Amino acid sequence: MISVIVPTYNRPHQLRMAVGSALSQEGLAHGDIEVVVVDDGSSPPLSDGAIADARVRIVKLETNRGPAAARNAGLAHATRPMIALLDSDDVWLPGKLQAQVRLLQRLAETSDAATIAVAGGYYYPDRKRRRIEARIPRGADTLDVFASGCWYCPGSTLLIRRSAFDQIGPFDERLRRLEDLDWFIRFARAGGRLEVCATVDTLVAPSNLG
């Protein structure tokens, strides 16, 4: 059902928490999830057995090429019709995927699934106050809204059909930053829209509050 793509670079401890949160999702069968970890040239590189679970595959890039290339490598090795992105220093709460899958499946009954992206609410660290704040983004269906920024945190809240990447193309590997914004601008130009699952179930960079 779902391929979870996790790019990582020199974050072995955070990575294990991130992958563990993906494998612990509730409401889905054990075999519904595969996790594709892309080691983006870490030093030392991840060992093949760094995460002992048959649902996890590790793809290794010889040099650090940036998040766009790492996510594209993950897409190339993904085998499921739905794609979820998760940054290696973020974690999901247990019901994240179940809620988003239900919403995406319901929306796909009346719309072209390749034109729909689903995001959700997330907890973001306020480093000055040393606390987390809950944020629920708004949906988008026009180019100007998509172009205003990545306020929907696509690196860790996104669920989307693989067919969307087949239609829009991969992330632009020339970009070291804002590659997700660039992709969603192309997505908007192709008639795509973002729907929001009104749950708060992603914790962004929790180690930054430590």
Side-chain angles (χ1 to χ4, degrees):
M1 180 182 290
I2 305 169
S3 294
V4 182
I5 296 174
V6 188
T8 188
Y9 176 66
N10 289 345
R11 286 175 177 163
H13 302 299
Q14 296 99 315
L15 172 67
R16 290 183 179 88
M17 293 181 62
V19 172
S21 74
L23 297 175
S24 301
Q25 288 296 294
E26 297 176 349
L28 300 173
H30 181 84
D32 283 346
I33 297 174
E34 69 169 6
V35 179
V36 182
V37 174
V38 182
D39 181 8
D40 189 18
S42 294
S43 179
L46 285 175
S47 65
D48 291 333
I51 301 173
D53 192 295
R55 294 170 292 172
V56 178
R57 285 183 293 147
I58 296 177
V59 177
K60 298 181 183 180
L61 303 183
E62 293 185 0
T63 59
N64 180 257
R65 295 168 53 192
R71 288 175 180 155
N72 287 342
L75 285 167
H77 287 81
T79 65
R80 307 296 176 86
M82 295 184 188
I83 301 294
L85 300 182
L86 175 60
D87 286 345
S88 61
D89 58 343
D90 298 345
V91 296
W92 289 338
L93 299 185
K96 189 265 188 191
L97 287 183
Q98 181 186 38
Q100 290 190 326
V101 166
R102 287 177 174 173
L103 176 57
L104 183 57
Q105 290 176 334
R106 186 169 69 250
L107 293 168
E109 292 175 358
T110 57
S111 303
D112 177 5
T115 66
I116 303 169
V118 171
Y122 55 96
Y123 294 102
Y124 193 82
D126 182 333
R127 295 173 180 81
K128 291 183 178 180
R129 299 180 181 179
R130 298 186 62 78
R131 68 182 187 185
I132 58 174
E133 298 179 346
R135 300 179 180 181
I136 297 181
R138 59 173 176 154
D141 59 6
T142 62
L143 177 58
D144 61 325
V145 176
F146 274 108
S148 66
C150 290
W151 29 262
Y152 41 93
C153 192
S156 286
T157 72
L158 180 68
L159 180 70
I160 194 167
R161 290 276 184 178
R162 172 60 182 264
S163 54
F165 288 98
D166 295 337
Q167 178 176 317
I168 306 303
F171 293 102
D172 187 341
E173 298 185 11
R174 297 171 297 179
L175 301 175
R176 281 278 180 161
R177 297 182 66 248
L178 302 179
E179 75 289 338
D180 40 13
L181 176 60
D182 169 79
W183 191 90
F184 272 98
I185 288 174
R186 288 185 275 141
F187 179 69
R189 286 175 172 164
R193 77 179 197 266
L194 178 77
E195 299 285 349
V196 175
C197 188
T199 56
V200 183
D201 39 31
T202 297
L203 184 57
V204 175
S207 61
N208 285 350
L209 292 177

